[in-house]
Amino acid sequence: MTMQNVGRPTRPEGSTETAGFQSLTGGRGLLQDEPLIFELDGWTKTGVDLPEPEADASDLAGLTRAGLELPGLSEPETMRHYVRLSQKNHAIDLALYPLGSCTMKHNPRLNEKAARMAGFADLHPLAPVGATQGALELMDRLSHWLKTLTGMPAVALSPKAGAHGELCGLLCIKAAHEAAGQGHRRTVLVPTSAHGTNPATAAFVGYNVTEIAQTPDGRVDLADLEAKLGDHVAAIMVTNPNTCGLFERDILDISRLTHAAGAYFYCDGANFNAIVGRVRPGDLGVDAMHINLHKTFSTPHGGGGPGAGPVVLSQALAAFAPAPWVVSGPDGLHLVEEAVDEAASAFGRMSAFHGQMGMFVRAYAYMRSHGADGLRQVAEDAVLNANYIKASLSDVMTPAFPDGPCMHEALFDDSWLDGTGVTTLDFAKAMIDEGFHPMTMYFPLVVHGAMLIEPTETESKRELDRFCHALRSLAATAKLGDVERFKNAPHLAPLRRLDETLAARKPKLTWRPEFPANQ
Amino acid sequence: MRFTKDHEWVVLQGDVATVGITAHAAEQLGDVVFVETPEVGKTVKAGDAFAVVESVKAASDVYAPISGEVIEANGELGSAPETVNASPENGGWFAKVKLSDPSEYEALMDRAAYDAFLATQ
Amino acid sequence: MRYLPLTPSDRAEMLAVIGAPDIDGLFVDVPQAARLAGPVDLQPHAGELEVERELAALAAMNRPAGAGPFFCGAGAYKHHVPATVDHIIQRSEFLTSYTPYQPEIAQGTLQVLFEFQTQVAALTGMDVANASMYDGSTACSEAVLMAKRVNRRGKAVLSGGLHPHYAATTQTIAHAEGMEIVRLPAAIDAEAAVIDAIDDQTACVVVQTPNIFGVVTDVSKIAEAAHAKGALLIVVTTEAVSFGLLRSPGEMGADIAVAEGQSIGNALNYGGPYVGLFACKEKLVRQMPGRLCGETVDADGRRGYVLTLSTREQHIRREKATSNICTNSGLCALAFTIHMTLMGGVGLQQLARINHAKARELKAAVEGAGIEVLTPRFFNEIAVRVKGSAARLVDDLLGQGIVAGVPYSRLDPHAGLDDVLLLAATETTTSEDIAALAAALKAA
């Protein structure tokens, strides 16, 4: 035979011990350390090729700047820099991202494709309406879907995010009260479990905030609500399903009492994804509700926005909606951009132009893909997945509200960690080592050491089982006393725990040449 | 030194009260990262929110334990908020207030009463 | 359904684990009267091809900016965006992540925000910038509220050169907060008129440069006048490319600079999503709204980034927060940062000079067509006076395939400026486009 034994070894050699291994450069294999763009020698470069201008700026003498010190990088350097940075992020496309109340579901790429069609992406907001009929038609169809799904007669599309939608809804309510001679109503009632934006928004429009108590089973305390309602109350702001992941069983009584007291019912629609297609907020007596298109209708979260927060409105509030809106005329669709004449009761304007059109396209594509039947299935699967997690973990973790089903998210408290020396934060950080994004922690505030898990409907049973297995293993480890695993977690992330105290005491908010790198 | 149920302390010298937050409060807050002291010259009523103390995770109002006029604020806390953790009942004082009603001081808890109050929390 | 992984047998198995008889068993808390028996009255689900066809048909009913001569500006600008930008922002790790609550696994987003903040501070000539706002108009209204927090005064003066949508947005929001808004009458070169309106009750003055009529103003004197009365100067810029050529707001004495960042890295998108830039003097940072990213170290002493100074924000302060804002405009800020990184200071300055040169070409051409140009000093946008209604002219020229700018009356119908037309030129405007417009204007 001919001996051919040259070449590379084809099985691992040497010790399998790699703990504590350090590379010589600080890099970690595929995970590269990446400096700031300001440290990449780009001060005199640019990565764009532009022609010489055909005229000078002599007409602007005295008005021009001397220079602009910002680095530029060539295209390959730019690509590599941002691709390396991207690899330091967790994402839905990588693994379960169970942030309660954030609804991190799959983002279909058809929606991205549609939003980039030239007819939508390359359309100027002030192009003549004759050039934008397709955009107005899309806004009209989206409005129809939102109104039909919520059972509400009107919608204001322009708010740019959930909190902006809350603001829009409360401004409608304020305008309606003022128009009815009820401007003395200055109090908004908010449950203790509410998201921070609710009281912040109420205060933003000049209202006082009074908290409503919660019952032991995690719902609005009706007796307390009734006691606090009165001639001074402008509105209640209730999230439904609420931030504990529970449907407000007494919702019809809540709206009846509120209306009887002359107040309006603002519903925070952050959790609409749990009931879309099965329950219409209009049937619950809601007067105004924002819809986070980036949650229920799956427009991408983009590392923290942009979102979109259209607000559906009851008949009582419809006349106060802000400009702009779409109307139909004999020669096509028009956009009412200035509230005059018959629309003079509109309260004003939420922002320049017409809202988050890019998100409207994506949300509408998502709705059309699912259809009326599919959206109902979305709510059912979201609720099923959350209850499956709750059922699968209840023997090792302590559900905050064990009795009855939850809606789209399962809430646990930290009493099961008592005596282990492990906190909710430690547990969450250990999940990072197992490849999962932590759940929402310490929210809602009414539950001690809260862990709020929202799987969404786009997780398979297999992925849920993998997740539950990981959490069960971690829970068992915590109870066995392996505290170090948790206190020092994460061990395997791009960075270990960060010093937030240092960041807040000595804020460094921009790169400056006189600030040397900390490494 | 006297104390309130909101975890402020007061030391009286003549008619000037030095005010801060208690060691217990400082420990509960965690790492203090920012302090907003009251404006000198401001008149405060006992129970008014007159300063703010922030940790990374929480912002808390500090209430004036006694009524009077603010005559001095601890400027050092601006650049060194960590003093509140290091020395809450001494170097980490917030403000000096010229008393308008000395009887308010007498009504506050002494150390034993405050410790007993903490034990009930 | 292609977005739903569960099969009927999965569902049955899971219900058994839960101990619920059927899916309705999980909705028992919904009052009987409010339960829908079946799907609402909307179309059923549709395949990807069908949905794409419907959306393509709607898109085809619009006339994109790139389809021919096009001169709209007035707060949104058509610029070329390098292909790299859209590729990177569609990476899963940026597109499908959320607010960086867990900094250990969000350093990508956080480092981008830190770079973004530094770029925005440099462009505006300010000390610090936040991680972005919804858009320029909401940034403007937030700046006015911030001024009230800083000096505890209740009045804001808005220049007559401020974009009318920005003024309306600010009026709406500030009015709700109980502020008095003095909105000066629209006037083409009126930034200096705000000086007379400043008194010792004034929290801030808001001026825009280049303004809605395209006028470039040195606001230094306004800054002096405002500061003399204890008021803050807020400078608004709707065309971010102008930072490449014009003196920065900080250089001219602004206390707060806000801008629309769409021009850099972002498409027109029929008005949104865009990205608001918000920068201020260092001493005001604790009154700033919105998210902030800051540098720190991890447990091993390695440099990293976190969201910081969050005690200003709604999730901690609740009703005492500086703003109710929860998110920023993350992905649009990313696009801004990538485009800005490609250009650098060198490239942006070049781009700005090209824009300015195009506008000079446009001005000469419309003057040649016998049209009066009203803007004395401009960057890439001019106001012109046409014969009769500018709105009617724009509609007429659309019939000839030309999008001839924005009639001022569309933004502000009551100003009596129906014959004023706003025209913008950018690097995407060709000499042929300009010639076509000039010929059509001459013939009109």
Side-chain angles (χ1 to χ4, degrees):
Chain A
M1 66 180 292
T2 314
M3 288 291 283
Q4 290 285 7
N5 65 347
V6 291
R8 60 186 176 84
T10 53
R11 63 164 66 170
E13 291 175 350
S15 155
T16 53
E17 184 59 57
T18 59
F21 179 83
Q22 293 285 330
S23 72
L24 302 174
T25 57
R28 298 173 71 183
L30 289 177
L31 207 52
Q32 305 272 340
D33 265 355
E34 183 62 14
L36 291 159
I37 50 170
F38 313 103
E39 297 158 346
L40 294 171
D41 303 329
W43 294 99
T44 58
K45 288 203 294 195
T46 180
V48 292
D49 292 320
L50 293 168
E52 273 307 308
E54 285 161 16
D56 63 23
S58 54
D59 57 324
L60 289 172
L63 294 166
T64 55
R65 75 193 294 162
L68 176 56
E69 292 287 307
L70 277 174
L73 300 177
S74 67
E75 184 172 312
E77 290 170 296
T78 301
M79 184 66 82
R80 198 168 275 172
H81 175 72
Y82 289 105
V83 170
R84 284 178 180 172
L85 289 188
S86 76
Q87 293 185 316
K88 298 171 195 285
N89 273 1
H90 188 93
I92 307 164
D93 288 349
L94 288 168
L96 193 64
Y97 205 134
L99 270 181
S101 104
C102 296
T103 315
M104 302 301 288
K105 61 167 79 171
H106 171 66
N107 302 134
R109 292 311 195 274
L110 167 65
N111 307 352
E112 296 304 306
K113 186 177 182 184
R116 285 169 173 79
M117 290 173 180
F120 297 127
D122 192 29
L123 191 63
H124 192 282
L126 299 173
V129 289
T132 65
Q133 287 294 302
L136 299 180
E137 176 68 31
L138 185 133
M139 288 163 77
D140 200 45
R141 289 187 198 172
L142 176 73
S143 298
H144 176 69
W145 278 69
L146 293 175
K147 290 187 288 189
T148 306
L149 286 166
T150 56
M152 307 279 277
V155 61
L157 289 179
S158 64
K160 291 188 168 277
H164 207 221
E166 288 177 33
L167 185 57
C168 176
L170 283 199
L171 288 172
C172 283
I173 287 170
K174 196 174 187 185
H177 278 313
E178 281 167 9
Q182 295 285 308
H184 60 278
R185 292 176 178 267
R186 311 280 304 172
T187 296
V188 170
L189 305 181
V190 178
T192 47
S193 61
H195 193 264
T197 51
N198 293 173
T201 305
F204 203 85
V205 304
Y207 282 156
N208 309 309
V209 175
T210 301
E211 291 203 332
I212 322 169
Q214 177 170 297
T215 60
D217 69 348
R219 270 89 173 179
V220 168
D221 184 328
L222 262 191
D224 193 50
L225 169 67
E226 194 162 10
K228 285 174 178 161
L229 280 166
D231 189 43
H232 61 297
V233 175
I236 61 163
M237 293 181 89
V238 173
T239 309
N240 186 46
N242 68 24
T243 59
C244 298
L246 304 171
F247 197 92
E248 291 287 350
R249 275 185 215 120
D250 297 325
I251 192 84
L252 296 174
D253 289 325
I254 291 171
S255 61
R256 182 180 51 77
L257 290 169
T258 301
H259 292 149
Y264 288 105
F265 179 3
Y266 187 89
C267 180
D268 182 327
N271 298 334
F272 185 52
N273 57 308
I275 57 172
V276 59
R278 283 195 66 108
V279 181
R280 299 186 304 174
D283 296 336
L284 304 174
V286 168
D287 291 297
M289 181 181 91
H290 72 266
I291 300 166
N292 307 81
L293 296 186
H294 49 287
K295 295 180 183 178
T296 303
F297 300 114
S298 191
T299 70
H301 282 67
V311 178
V312 287
L313 298 164
S314 66
Q315 204 60 55
L317 295 178
F320 303 97
W325 57 84
V326 178
V327 293
S328 182
D331 53 345
L333 296 169
H334 287 266
L335 197 59
V336 177
E337 291 173 281
E338 187 79 9
V340 288
D341 303 332
E342 78 281 6
S345 52
F347 71 71
R349 175 173 273 282
M350 292 301 296
S351 70
F353 313 130
H354 333 302
Q356 306 284 64
M357 182 65 179
M359 301 298 138
F360 300 164
V361 176
R362 291 172 174 88
Y364 182 68
Y366 176 84
M367 289 177 174
R368 279 294 288 118
S369 295
H370 271 300
D373 51 336
L375 288 172
R376 189 176 165 94
Q377 190 71 53
V378 162
E380 291 175 358
D381 284 1
V383 170
L384 180 64
N385 280 356
N387 277 283
Y388 183 67
I389 285 178
K390 185 180 170 194
S392 302
L393 297 176
S394 283
D395 59 328
V396 292
M397 294 164 62
T398 40
F401 302 100
D403 300 330
C406 60
M407 297 303 287
H408 60 300
E409 51 197 355
L411 177 60
F412 297 87
D413 63 26
D414 63 355
S415 58
W416 62 279
L417 285 169
D418 283 352
T420 62
V422 174
T423 65
T424 292
L425 180 72
D426 299 331
F427 187 78
K429 296 295 185 193
M431 285 169 65
I432 293 174
D433 287 326
E434 306 301 329
F436 295 103
H437 195 282
M439 65 291 263
T440 292
M441 289 176 276
Y442 302 103
F443 176 82
L445 307 176
V446 292
V447 168
H448 198 271
M451 303 176 207
L452 186 63
I453 301 175
E454 179 178 9
T456 84
E457 76 282 1
T458 59
E459 295 303 329
S460 66
K461 177 171 177 297
R462 186 175 179 283
E463 185 74 0
L464 295 177
D465 286 337
R466 214 171 67 81
F467 176 73
C468 290
H469 175 73
L471 262 61
R472 294 182 68 87
S473 304
L474 283 174
T477 309
K479 287 172 187 175
L480 284 172
D482 185 3
V483 179
E484 286 309 298
R485 167 183 294 273
F486 294 90
K487 287 291 170 202
N488 293 322
H491 303 261
L492 303 176
L495 287 184
R496 300 195 44 220
R497 281 196 217 182
L498 289 118
D499 187 342
E500 294 181 58
T501 299
L502 174 68
R505 277 186 181 161
K506 306 269 183 274
K508 277 194 200 176
L509 305 172
T510 56
W511 178 87
R512 291 177 195 179
E514 67 269 26
F515 290 163
N518 280 318
Q519 341 184 234
Chain B
M1 190 177 271
R2 296 292 174 96
F3 302 88
T4 70
K5 287 187 176 177
D6 298 313
H7 312 290
E8 292 94 11
W9 57 260
V10 185
V11 166
L12 195 62
Q13 284 168 304
D15 62 350
V16 173
T18 304
V19 178
I21 64 168
T22 65
H24 168 79
E27 195 200 323
Q28 290 292 308
L29 284 172
D31 291 346
V32 171
V33 297
F34 179 70
V35 175
E36 187 183 309
T37 51
E39 274 172 55
V40 173
K42 189 177 174 183
T43 304
V44 295
K45 263 198 357 259
D48 283 355
F50 87 137
V52 176
V53 56
E54 294 183 6
S55 65
V56 175
K57 296 288 173 200
S60 312
D61 287 327
V62 178
Y63 303 105
I66 32 77
S67 307
E69 184 194 338
V70 178
I71 56 167
E72 194 182 341
N74 187 354
E76 200 189 305
L77 299 184
S79 54
E82 56 272 24
T83 312
V84 176
N85 293 114
S87 177
E89 296 182 10
N90 191 4
W93 62 277
F94 278 42
K96 297 189 179 184
V97 177
K98 191 168 180 190
L99 284 195
S100 56
D101 179 1
S103 72
E104 285 176 353
Y105 179 79
E106 296 306 321
L108 298 174
M109 290 180 281
D110 60 14
R111 172 78 71 182
Y114 179 64
D115 286 345
F117 165 72
L118 288 183
T120 66
Q121 293 298 292
Chain C
M1 207 292 147
R2 61 189 181 277
Y3 306 147
L4 299 176
L6 297 185
T7 63
S9 68
D10 287 336
R11 293 185 182 111
E13 226 176 292
M14 291 162 73
L15 283 168
V17 170
I18 295 163
D22 53 25
I23 192 71
D24 290 340
L26 301 180
F27 285 85
V28 287
D29 290 330
V30 179
Q32 195 73 48
R35 295 182 201 172
L36 294 173
V40 293
D41 184 19
L42 290 165
Q43 290 149 286
H45 66 274
E48 183 159 332
L49 175 62
E50 190 182 343
V51 177
E52 189 175 329
R53 271 192 190 133
E54 180 181 338
L55 286 152
L58 287 172
M61 290 163 65
N62 299 319
R63 191 272 198 196
F70 177 86
F71 298 91
C72 290
Y77 301 87
K78 175 166 176 56
H79 289 288
H80 173 74
V81 178
T84 302
V85 174
D86 197 45
H87 173 82
I88 295 172
I89 71 167
Q90 287 203 70
R91 275 191 71 93
S92 291
E93 301 90 332
F94 286 130
L95 186 75
T96 77
S97 58
Y98 195 31
T99 305
Y101 293 121
Q102 302 296 327
E104 300 89 346
I105 46 171
Q107 284 300 304
T109 294
L110 285 160
Q111 184 168 332
V112 166
L113 292 178
F114 191 76
E115 293 178 355
F116 172 82
Q117 289 174 184
T118 305
Q119 288 173 333
V120 172
L123 291 169
T124 55
M126 306 300 288
D127 300 324
V128 289
N130 75 10
S132 79
M133 312 292 280
Y134 303 137
D135 72 351
S137 66
T138 52
C140 178
S141 61
E142 290 278 356
V144 168
L145 298 185
M146 174 172 157
K148 180 190 171 200
R149 290 192 296 274
V150 169
N151 56 27
R152 299 196 171 86
R153 295 181 182 179
K155 187 165 97 179
V157 175
L158 311 186
S159 150
L162 180 63
H163 192 299
H165 282 180
Y166 284 48
T169 303
T170 302
Q171 262 178 321
T172 299
I173 304 303
H175 173 76
E177 275 253 316
M179 284 185 81
E180 180 194 349
I181 298 291
V182 179
R183 184 174 170 182
L184 299 175
I188 295 199
D189 191 1
E191 301 307 321
V194 299
I195 289 176
D196 296 334
I198 305 171
D199 61 23
D200 53 14
Q201 303 301 306
T202 306
C204 59
V205 290
V206 182
V207 299
Q208 180 178 328
T209 181
N211 76 9
I212 186 65
F213 301 102
V215 181
V216 176
T217 305
D218 179 352
V219 299
S220 308
K221 291 215 162 47
I222 303 172
E224 281 168 30
H227 296 156
K229 299 268 186 185
L232 301 187
L233 172 63
I234 297 168
V235 174
V236 176
T237 304
T238 60
E239 169 52 294
V241 170
S242 71
F243 290 132
L245 181 63
L246 304 177
R247 287 178 74 195
S248 70
E251 212 182 324
M252 296 187 288
D255 299 285
I256 305 172
V258 296
E260 174 52 68
Q262 171 268 329
S263 283
I264 298 178
N266 286 276
L268 288 166
N269 289 329
Y270 199 51
Y274 289 173
V275 51
L277 314 183
F278 196 114
C280 69
K281 299 275 190 212
E282 187 129 43
K283 63 176 195 278
L284 304 179
V285 67
R286 285 194 166 267
Q287 298 300 338
M288 210 179 198
R291 295 242 145 103
L292 279 168
C293 170
E295 184 185 312
T296 187
V297 293
D298 80 350
D300 293 334
R302 292 192 296 166
R303 182 172 66 176
Y305 303 90
V306 291
L307 293 178
T308 191
L309 304 185
S310 54
T311 42
R312 301 162 299 112
E313 294 182 64
Q314 49 75 26
H315 62 282
I316 291 175
R317 272 286 166 97
R318 298 175 79 84
E319 70 268 24
K320 288 183 180 166
T322 53
S323 163
N324 72 335
I325 286 180
C326 191
T327 48
N328 56 352
S329 196
L331 205 66
C332 301
L334 173 65
F336 179 100
T337 295
I338 299 164
H339 191 184
M340 199 55 239
T341 297
L342 281 166
M343 290 193 288
V346 172
L348 181 66
Q349 289 181 85
Q350 176 106 342
L351 179 67
R353 288 199 305 272
I354 293 169
N355 272 257
H356 178 63
K358 284 288 178 193
R360 291 189 77 171
E361 185 183 343
L362 172 68
K363 174 176 184 269
V366 296
E367 279 177 342
I371 303 285
E372 181 190 0
V373 174
L374 304 170
T375 308
R377 306 167 303 279
F378 56 88
F379 171 62
N380 68 352
E381 196 162 17
I382 54 175
V384 302
R385 177 164 286 134
V386 300
K387 297 183 240 13
S389 156
R392 197 170 316 124
L393 178 74
V394 166
D395 285 341
D396 289 348
L397 265 57
L398 180 61
Q400 300 171 40
I402 298 169
V403 177
V406 178
Y408 180 76
S409 62
R410 177 160 177 190
L411 298 168
D412 188 3
H414 313 298
L417 296 173
D418 292 358
D419 56 354
V420 173
L421 181 63
L422 309 177
L423 298 171
T426 72
E427 76 284 359
T428 65
T429 311
T430 65
S431 297
E432 292 73 33
D433 293 340
I434 291 172
L437 175 71
L441 287 175
K442 196 168 185 179

